[in-house]
């Protein structure tokens, strides 16, 4: 009634409380809920608010009574019933979209909390900095915060970056709290929301200039584009894309990255501050210097992380690492540490830890989910500094009991460290299905879901959750019935894996006798044993860039020779295709010191970098050649886009061979040289390229992103980055035909190779070899063993006529 009064019938509202039992009328009836939804239904969307208990279940059940196309437009919302209904009704009256209405309902408690905060002692606003002078004398500027969700980490990072160009000190006052504008921590805990008035005062020679610059930045929404802004501050997924409407309330949905079911307790990969000892220091100056050196090293490291995040996730998301840099360089923290070292004679580790803990406590005291979620950022950056101070690499992924690992993001080198025995499943906030972390998770056989930005707000360490890697569903509080069902699925999945594992030791021969070579993708010699256990007949792709990652110096020729030889020896007489360094894209290699690029996937990647840097490329070529002595090694070049690149690479290989010959060092004189086909240009030049090399391997991960013009690490375009897109299938066909015409063999080593659904298509298209993450081998082999070549060829013909990825997927699913 209250909501209806407020909007005076301009918003359709229907009520569905009570049940048809005069003796016990308190309850809810799904049919009534469904009827109420029908009564106000329009395709613009219907928001359903409920209280607790049966209302929740009835609302979920009601959805089942609606038509499927209606269901898509229904939004069940967990907002508080009274406040949510009023906020939503008012928002709807303004003509806002359903996602804005949903967001308004979810934020309905904010105003109440703000009003009550001063009455609750632990929430009382804190005056964190005393300005050195009376600010009323200083030049000032008043800004009304324009950002829809207030000044959160990214706009603050922009502001503080801007201040870095000026020498004036800038203070910000909100109501009666004044903070130093250069301190990201103080600014964040100030809690500046949309519509708040902030008074900026500047003290120093360029005071007027800095205020003008701030005014311009504020006029530009603090350089925060509205949609970025929403993505950042929409942790509960109020935007329509983030939460599929049919997902139940206690579920999240992400992008499927590796199949399998996992049930277990959550462990965060959000590093905690290690315990440090405290001791008195006599030489304060030396201690302070040690601190400065650690900060410098941390800042350099964060720059590298930022570059890699730009490449894996996107430039907007990567700016969070600007915030991390600002956190560790925060003048308030620096001052606190300086005071502790010089005045209290505390060692720097202890001083830093105390200073961080104080800031963490302040963030935690603020009733704001967003800020509380940023504690992970504080701890993360704090730990980096400590690591540099203590000169230790912390064991990040050691767990006593099996866990489901939850992380904001994992680098490829992080994922590579994971132990499948201890990691039941993996969920990350960032990433797309073909990001290298996802590839590694598949390689390790760990069920994984990526691209769940709202994740960290919904799970706590130790919480039991469940996930289905195949569908991307995450159950935040699985019910007993759900657990039983998932457990059954897990048992079936494991049984199928085991049956396939037995079949995997046989060759992949179709029923009518065509053999397809099935090999593994590896990133180090350590992966060989698992690959062989899974039934690999060799290695079709050794991603050598992993040897170069996560270290300060590039591996020299000796070290590389040993690494390649080790892999070859473990494989015995089986083939080993070693791909030369594929740097760039989402695989940055800090040791190479490559500058950040605007479009790294279109930049100085793979062979382009190697041809321009013979001092890196040559030792690798010599190492591969040396390892090839007496071993069935083949050399493969990545990211080719011109004929000239192949020629130049071959000249360098010839030169390396001449050098070895002259020095009397053995190598395989008949070494096969092949190239990856992963650019549209290489597809179009396949006939010519096939004349120049001994084999092709199609890299559908990159080929798909380049053909579809869609970044393989960007979740927003994940549906385009699907190697079953008709354009990609046609490209594969063209490449296979060109290779066979020139009588060379052609394999496929993108993630598509490991998708058993695609096996009939790939066999039908005529691929000679399929190389995949080892865990996929058993199922793919089992699939091929059931196939009939001529039927697979007919299926491939049919796929080539289809018009959409959905049609292709339907056809393959029906086989
Ligand atoms: C590919 O692009 O398909 C491929 C196998 O190479 P990478 O995934 O290492 O870029
Ligand atoms: Mg590639």
């Amino acid at each position: 009634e209250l909501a209806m009064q407020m909007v005076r019938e301009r918003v359709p509202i229907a009520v569905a409380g009570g049940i048809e039992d005069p003796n016990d009328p308190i309850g809810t009836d799904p049919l009534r809920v469904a009827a109420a939804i029908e009564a106000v239904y329009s395709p613009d969307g219907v928001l359903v608010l409920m209280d607790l208990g049966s209302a929740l279940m009835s609302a979920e059940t009601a959805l089942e009574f609606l038509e499927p196309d209606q269901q898509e437009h229904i939004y069940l919302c967990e907002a508080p019933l009274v406040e949510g209904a009023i906020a939503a009704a008012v928002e709807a009256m303004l003509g806002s979209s359903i996602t804005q209405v949903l967001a308004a309902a979810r934020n309905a408690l904010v105003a109440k909390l703000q009003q009550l905060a001063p009455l609750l002692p632990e929430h009382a606003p804190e005056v964190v900095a005393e300005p050195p002078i009376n600010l009323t004398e200083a030049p000032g500027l008043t800004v009304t915060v324009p950002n829809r969700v207030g000044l959160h980490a990214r706009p603050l990072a922009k502001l503080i970056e801007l201040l870095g160009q000026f020498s004036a000190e800038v203070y910000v006052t909100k109501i009666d709290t004044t903070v130093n504008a250069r301190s990201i921590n103080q600014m964040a805990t100030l809690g500046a929301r949309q519509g708040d008035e902030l008074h900026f005062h500047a003290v120093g020679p360029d005071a007027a200039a800095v205020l003008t610059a701030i005014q311009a930045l504020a006029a530009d929404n603090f350089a925060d584009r509205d949609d970025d802004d929403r993505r950042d501050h929409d942790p509960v997924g109020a935007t329509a894309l983030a939460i599929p409407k049919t997902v139940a309330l206690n579920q999240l949905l992400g992008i499927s990255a590796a199949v399998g079911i996992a049930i277990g307790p959550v462990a965060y990969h959000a590093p905690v501050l290690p315990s440090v000892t405290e001791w008195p220091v006599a030489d304060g100056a030396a201690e302070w210097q040690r601190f400065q050196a650690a900060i410098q090293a941390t800042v350099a490291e964060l720059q590298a992380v930022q570059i890699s995040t730009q490449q894996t996730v996107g430039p907007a998301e990567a700016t969070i690492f600007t915030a991390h840099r600002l956190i560790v360089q925060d003048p308030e923290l620096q001052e606190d540490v300086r005071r502790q070292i010089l005045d209290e004679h505390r060692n720097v580790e202890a001083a830093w830890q105390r200073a961080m803990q104080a800031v963490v406590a302040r963030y935690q005291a603020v009733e704001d989910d967003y800020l509380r979620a940023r504690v992970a950022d504080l701890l993360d950056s704090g730990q980096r500094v400590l690591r540099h101070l203590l000169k230790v690499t912390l064991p990040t992924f050691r767990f006593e009991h099996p866990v489901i690992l939850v992380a904001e993001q994992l680098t490829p080198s992080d994922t590579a460290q994971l132990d499948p025995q201890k990691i039941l499943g993996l969920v990350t906030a960032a990433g797309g299905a073909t990001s290298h972390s996802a590839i590694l998770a598949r390689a390790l056989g760990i069920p994984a879901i990526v691209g769940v930005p709202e994740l960290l707000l919904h799970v706590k360490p130790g919480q039991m959750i469940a996930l289905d890697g195949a569908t991307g569903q995450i159950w935040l509080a699985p019910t007993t019935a759900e657990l039983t069902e998932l457990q059954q699925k897990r048992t079936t999945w494991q049984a199928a894996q085991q049956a396939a594992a037995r079949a995997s030791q046989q060759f992949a021969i179709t029923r009518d006798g065509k053999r397809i070579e099935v090999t593994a993708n590896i990133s180090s010699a350590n992966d060989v044993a698992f690959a062989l256990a899974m039934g690999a007949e060799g290695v079709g792709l050794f991603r050598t860039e992993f040897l170069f990652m996560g270290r300060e110096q590039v591996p020299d020729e000796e070290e590389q020779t040993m690494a390649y030889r080790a892999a070859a020896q473990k494989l015995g007489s089986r083939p080993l295709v070693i791909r030369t360094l594929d740097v760039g894209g989402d695989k940055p290699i800090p040791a190479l010191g490559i500058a950040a690029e605007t479009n790294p996937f279109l930049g100085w990647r793979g062979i382009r970098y190697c041809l321009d840097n013979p001092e890196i490329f040559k030792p690798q070529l010599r190492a591969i050649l040396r390892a090839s002595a007496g071993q069935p090694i083949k050399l493969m070049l990545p990211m080719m886009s011109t004929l000239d690149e192949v020629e130049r690479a071959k000249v360098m290989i010839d030169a390396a061979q001449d050098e070895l010959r002259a020095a009397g060092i053995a190598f395989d004189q008949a070494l096969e040289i092949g190239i990856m086909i992963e650019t549209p240009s290489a597809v179009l030049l396949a006939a010519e390229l096939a004349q120049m090399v001994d084999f092709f391997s199609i890299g559908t991960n990159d080929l798909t992103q380049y053909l579809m013009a869609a970044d393989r690490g960007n979740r927003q375009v994940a549906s385009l980055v699907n190697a079953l897109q008709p354009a990609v299938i046609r490209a594969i066909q063209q490449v296979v035909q060109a290779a066979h015409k020139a009588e060379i063999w052609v394999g496929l080593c993108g993630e598509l190779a490991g998708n058993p659904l695609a096996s009939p298509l790939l066999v039908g298209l005529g691929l000679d070899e399929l190389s995949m993450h080892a865990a996929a081998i058993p199922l793919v082999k089992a699939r091929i063993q059931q196939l009939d070549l001529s039927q697979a060829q007919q299926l491939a013909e049919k796929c080539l006529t289809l018009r959409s990825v959905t049609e292709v997927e339907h056809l393959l699913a029906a086989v």
Side-chain angles (χ1 to χ4, degrees):
E1 277 172 16
L2 192 54
M4 283 172 184
Q5 269 176 24
M6 292 190 75
V7 298
R8 283 186 231 103
E9 293 178 15
R10 274 173 287 173
V11 177
I13 299 179
V15 188
I19 48 176
E20 226 50 290
D21 181 352
N23 297 325
D24 189 13
I26 297 178
T28 26
D29 176 351
L31 284 171
R32 282 194 185 187
V33 180
I37 293 174
E38 298 258 18
V40 295
Y41 179 81
S42 96
D44 287 344
V46 177
L47 181 77
V48 182
L49 292 151
M50 67 224 70
D51 60 43
L52 62 175
S54 69
L56 227 158
M57 252 159 55
S58 300
E60 284 187 73
T61 315
L63 291 185
E64 288 162 23
F65 298 127
L66 302 171
E67 296 301 320
D69 60 330
Q70 285 188 329
Q71 284 172 7
E72 276 177 39
H73 302 289
I74 313 302
Y75 296 74
L76 302 188
C77 174
E78 79 289 4
L81 188 57
V82 175
E83 291 84 350
I86 293 170
V90 172
E91 188 73 34
M93 186 179 63
L94 300 175
S96 306
S97 70
I98 188 76
T99 49
Q100 288 166 319
V101 173
L102 181 56
R106 284 178 161 166
N107 285 329
L109 281 184
V110 170
K112 199 170 172 181
L113 270 171
Q114 271 175 347
Q115 193 165 341
L116 292 180
L119 301 177
L120 309 170
E122 70 271 35
H123 298 142
E126 195 182 342
V127 180
V128 266
E130 275 301 331
I133 56 161
N134 182 357
L135 289 179
T136 48
E137 311 277 307
L141 162 77
T142 298
V143 166
T144 305
V145 176
N147 307 61
R148 207 178 60 82
V149 292
L151 288 188
H152 56 85
R154 289 203 307 248
L156 282 181
K158 285 283 176 208
L159 172 67
I160 296 169
E161 256 181 342
L162 176 82
L163 299 185
Q165 298 164 21
F166 298 88
S167 60
E169 282 307 325
V170 178
Y171 296 91
V172 183
T173 306
K174 182 183 137 185
I175 312 176
D176 51 5
T177 305
T178 299
V179 300
N180 178 347
R182 287 180 198 272
S183 164
I184 191 165
N185 297 321
Q186 292 187 8
M187 285 295 288
T189 46
L190 189 64
R193 295 173 186 288
Q194 188 177 37
D196 281 353
E197 279 204 342
L198 300 183
H199 306 284
F200 287 81
H201 284 99
V203 184
D206 48 6
V210 72
L211 291 175
T212 312
I214 294 171
Q215 193 164 26
L217 184 67
D220 187 29
N221 204 39
F222 285 90
D224 200 19
R225 304 281 75 86
D226 189 43
D227 54 348
D228 285 349
D229 183 325
R230 212 173 304 147
R231 199 165 353 136
D232 193 9
H233 196 79
D234 184 25
V236 286
T239 49
L241 279 178
I243 273 202
K245 300 129 198 173
T246 47
V247 167
L249 271 179
N250 71 345
Q251 282 187 29
L252 296 175
L253 194 85
I255 300 168
S256 154
V259 298
I261 309 275
I263 303 166
V266 165
Y268 269 168
H269 170 53
V272 286
L273 300 176
S275 62
V276 294
T277 28
E278 191 170 321
W279 67 87
V281 289
D283 188 352
E287 202 66 1
W288 177 246
Q289 275 213 331
R290 216 153 66 73
F291 178 55
Q292 292 303 326
I295 294 290
Q296 265 179 19
T298 310
V299 167
E301 188 178 86
L302 281 166
Q303 274 161 339
V305 177
Q306 177 156 11
I307 295 166
S308 87
T309 313
Q310 263 167 12
Q311 293 160 342
T312 46
V313 190
E317 290 82 356
T319 51
I320 193 63
F321 291 107
T322 311
H324 279 211
R325 266 189 283 143
L326 292 169
I327 288 171
V328 301
Q329 293 174 301
D330 188 315
E332 182 208 5
L333 273 169
Q334 300 259 325
E335 178 48 33
D336 188 357
V337 172
R338 201 191 60 79
R339 187 185 49 72
Q340 292 187 57
I341 292 175
L342 298 182
D343 301 350
E344 295 170 16
H345 309 289
R346 196 165 280 135
N347 60 315
V348 49
E349 293 84 353
W352 174 252
Q353 194 177 38
R354 279 174 180 247
M356 287 303 297
Q357 280 164 347
V359 182
V360 165
R362 256 203 347 261
Y363 271 64
Q364 278 167 336
V366 182
E367 266 304 312
D368 179 321
D369 281 346
Y370 180 78
L371 271 189
R372 277 200 306 243
R374 297 281 72 75
V375 167
D377 292 325
L378 286 172
L379 293 177
D380 194 2
S381 24
Q383 194 212 31
R384 273 182 206 276
V385 177
L386 276 184
R387 239 186 11 234
H388 285 286
L389 284 171
L390 299 168
K391 302 218 176 311
V392 286
T393 319
L394 292 169
T396 7
F397 299 106
R398 303 271 152 78
F399 299 102
E400 279 183 20
H401 307 289
V403 293
I404 294 182
L405 188 66
V406 164
E408 182 86 47
Q409 175 176 25
L410 290 175
T411 62
S413 9
D414 284 341
T415 317
Q417 287 183 47
L418 302 181
D419 172 3
Q421 301 299 323
K422 286 285 158 61
I423 311 289
L424 296 165
L426 182 65
V427 197
T428 67
T434 62
S435 66
H436 281 85
S437 301
I439 293 176
L440 284 164
R442 276 194 289 278
L444 294 163
I446 300 175
I449 297 175
V450 297
V452 201
E454 62 275 38
L455 175 72
L456 294 180
L457 288 182
H458 286 276
V459 291
K460 294 191 178 53
Q463 177 180 339
M464 287 294 290
I465 64 169
L467 62 89
D468 183 344
T471 61
Q473 278 167 292
I474 303 160
W475 287 260
L476 298 171
T479 60
T480 320
E482 283 167 343
L483 279 177
T484 315
E485 193 186 324
L486 285 165
Q487 194 60 55
Q488 268 165 10
K489 263 183 150 179
R490 183 172 161 80
T491 314
T492 317
W493 169 62
Q494 283 176 324
Q497 297 269 100
Q498 280 156 10
R502 284 190 294 275
S504 71
Q505 298 303 327
Q506 324 281 327
F507 285 136
I509 303 175
T510 62
R511 288 193 307 209
D512 44 357
K514 160 90 177 161
R515 179 177 165 203
I516 316 294
E517 209 174 322
V518 176
T519 52
N521 296 347
I522 62 166
S523 19
S524 100
N526 294 338
D527 299 340
V528 172
F530 179 65
L532 293 179
M534 289 291 110
E537 293 157 24
V539 164
L541 169 64
F542 182 167
R543 289 185 165 103
T544 58
E545 48 279 3
F546 285 87
L547 283 175
F548 290 67
M549 284 179 174
R551 50 191 288 166
E552 282 170 13
Q553 303 271 310
V554 298
D556 63 11
E557 182 182 320
E558 273 317 306
E559 185 183 338
Q560 290 189 58
T561 309
M562 274 164 29
Y564 306 147
R565 218 173 253 156
Q569 278 164 357
K570 288 186 182 175
L571 282 162
S573 57
R574 301 175 188 89
L576 166 62
V577 178
I578 303 181
R579 178 174 76 180
T580 59
L581 180 64
D582 187 19
V583 58
D586 65 345
K587 291 174 285 194
I589 297 176
L592 298 177
I594 301 175
E597 296 179 305
T598 320
N599 284 309
F601 274 121
L602 304 182
W604 212 23
R605 268 198 76 175
I607 197 68
R608 305 170 183 184
Y609 174 87
C610 286
L611 289 174
D612 292 345
N613 290 279
E615 75 288 359
I616 303 285
F617 196 33
K618 198 54 136 356
Q620 181 171 44
L621 293 176
R622 287 174 52 106
I624 297 172
L625 285 164
R626 285 171 57 186
S628 75
Q631 302 285 359
I633 284 178
K634 306 175 205 287
L635 184 150
M636 180 157 76
L637 305 159
M639 277 300 293
M640 310 305 288
S641 43
T642 70
L643 305 180
D644 172 63
E645 283 166 348
V646 182
E647 260 153 24
R648 285 170 58 205
K650 283 174 76 174
V651 167
M652 287 181 69
I653 297 169
D654 283 348
Q657 289 179 332
D658 288 345
E659 283 170 20
L660 293 178
R661 237 178 251 119
I665 301 174
F667 64 94
D668 175 13
Q669 307 276 345
L671 177 90
E672 277 189 35
I673 297 170
I675 57 170
M676 301 264 313
I677 303 289
E678 42 190 351
T679 65
S681 166
V683 174
L684 297 173
L685 295 173
E688 286 80 0
L689 289 167
Q691 302 295 333
M692 305 170 78
V693 294
D694 301 310
F695 66 92
F696 283 165
S697 185
I698 307 176
T700 41
N701 304 340
D702 278 314
L703 184 57
T704 307
Q705 78 163 342
Y706 294 131
L707 269 181
M708 303 306 298
D711 183 336
R712 65 195 260 189
N714 182 342
R715 65 189 295 274
Q716 307 294 346
V717 293
S719 61
L720 285 173
V721 197
N722 184 332
L724 291 174
Q725 286 281 358
V728 183
I729 299 176
R730 289 180 205 189
I732 297 172
Q733 185 212 25
Q734 285 181 29
V735 174
V736 172
Q737 285 182 346
H740 287 170
K741 196 155 174 228
E743 296 182 350
I744 62 170
W745 66 267
V746 51
L748 190 148
C749 63
E751 291 305 293
L752 181 65
N755 177 355
L757 211 64
S759 306
L761 168 64
L762 298 179
V763 170
L765 286 171
L767 285 148
D768 302 299
E769 177 234 40
L770 295 175
S771 190
M772 63 203 70
H773 57 284
I777 292 175
L779 289 178
V780 169
K781 277 194 165 179
R783 195 80 213 271
I784 296 174
Q785 286 157 358
Q786 291 154 8
L787 285 177
D788 204 82
L789 179 62
S790 57
Q791 280 172 3
Q793 283 166 338
Q794 278 168 17
L795 177 81
E797 285 300 324
K798 176 85 182 113
C799 280
L800 286 162
T801 65
L802 297 180
R803 302 174 69 89
S804 72
V805 71
T806 323
E807 283 181 21
V808 174
E809 283 175 344
H810 279 154
L811 181 63
L812 295 181
V815 175

